Amino acid sequence: MIIDKILKANEDFIKAFEPKKMSHLPQKKLCIVTCMDTRLTGFLEPALGIERGDAKIIKNAGNTVVDQDVIRSVAASILTLGVEEVMVIGHTNCGMANVNPEKLKTAMEERGIDPKEIAKVNLKEWIGAIDDEESNVFQTVEQIKNSPFIPEDAPIHGLIIDIESGALKVLVDGS
Ligand SMILES: [Zn+2]
């Protein structure tokens, strides 16, 4: 099992690691909403000059807002954790821009998901598939900004990161 390898890695890690006390408050007063893409792990942070303890990072498939969950975390960051600015960061070549609802449906059926449940939802919407990485960033920024639970004076920026080079492009300057 994969978990066995992970637990072994953890044993090695704690042997070498020197713990230190840190605040749970983000030192750079920043909240980031980004994608769960594996290529961003250990890449997004250095590309932004962010280290452990600096920022709240919320990740999901395609940095989308399909329910209240992202809003809840962004609101908590601003209202209780001292966050002053929010950055929605999409990336080029996002897997959520290539979702095939038919393939997803087949995978669900093969893994025993109840066909009645599958039939109840629009799979493209349910999975949060996006049509275009840049327009998706604009949409996510608007959804966060328009939430009644997000303070109106909180800057919500929108950016896209090049998954190959790490270059950032500003799409929405929330200043
Ligand atoms: Zn992605």
Side-chain angles (χ1 to χ4, degrees):
M1 296 285 279
I2 297 161
I3 188 172
D4 299 321
K5 286 186 191 146
I6 298 292
L7 292 175
K8 176 70 183 73
N10 182 248
E11 267 176 37
D12 296 342
F13 172 79
I14 56 177
K15 268 181 221 152
F17 186 66
E18 284 177 33
K20 61 170 181 180
K21 283 257 180 289
M22 292 179 79
S23 169
H24 72 294
L25 300 174
Q27 299 305 297
K28 290 210 163 129
K29 302 182 187 301
L30 177 65
C31 173
I32 294 168
V33 177
T34 191
C35 184
M36 68 180 188
D37 193 292
T38 48
R39 296 165 294 178
L40 291 173
T41 302
F43 181 67
L44 181 75
E45 295 88 350
L48 270 60
I50 284 172
E51 293 185 358
R52 185 172 182 234
D54 278 347
K56 296 292 170 193
I57 303 184
I58 302 158
K59 291 187 169 193
N60 67 21
N63 39 273
T64 48
V65 176
V66 294
D67 55 31
Q68 281 301 297
D69 201 48
V70 168
I71 301 294
R72 169 184 76 89
S73 301
V74 173
S77 298
I78 297 170
L79 300 169
T80 71
L81 300 166
V83 159
E84 292 179 358
E85 295 185 34
V86 177
M87 293 168 79
V88 175
I89 307 181
H91 67 96
T92 56
N93 191 229
C94 183
M96 294 309 286
N98 301 302
V99 172
N100 180 329
E102 277 311 308
K103 268 193 188 162
L104 175 63
K105 186 168 179 243
T106 304
M108 284 177 153
E109 287 166 351
E110 283 174 2
R111 295 300 294 269
I113 309 296
D114 187 345
K116 274 188 257 145
E117 295 301 323
I118 301 173
K120 278 184 200 166
V121 294
N122 175 328
L123 281 183
K124 190 167 181 275
E125 284 174 19
W126 180 84
I127 201 76
I130 63 176
D131 291 323
D132 169 82
E133 291 91 341
E134 292 201 3
S135 54
N136 176 56
V137 168
F138 284 102
Q139 187 180 336
T140 301
V141 166
E142 280 307 302
Q143 284 171 297
I144 295 172
K145 256 170 68 174
N146 293 339
S147 166
F149 297 103
I150 301 295
E152 274 181 25
D153 61 351
I156 317 289
H157 309 291
L159 302 94
I160 197 142
I161 186 166
D162 186 310
I163 202 73
E164 306 283 336
S165 70
L168 280 174
K169 180 166 123 185
V170 178
L171 301 175
V172 181
D173 180 350
S175 309

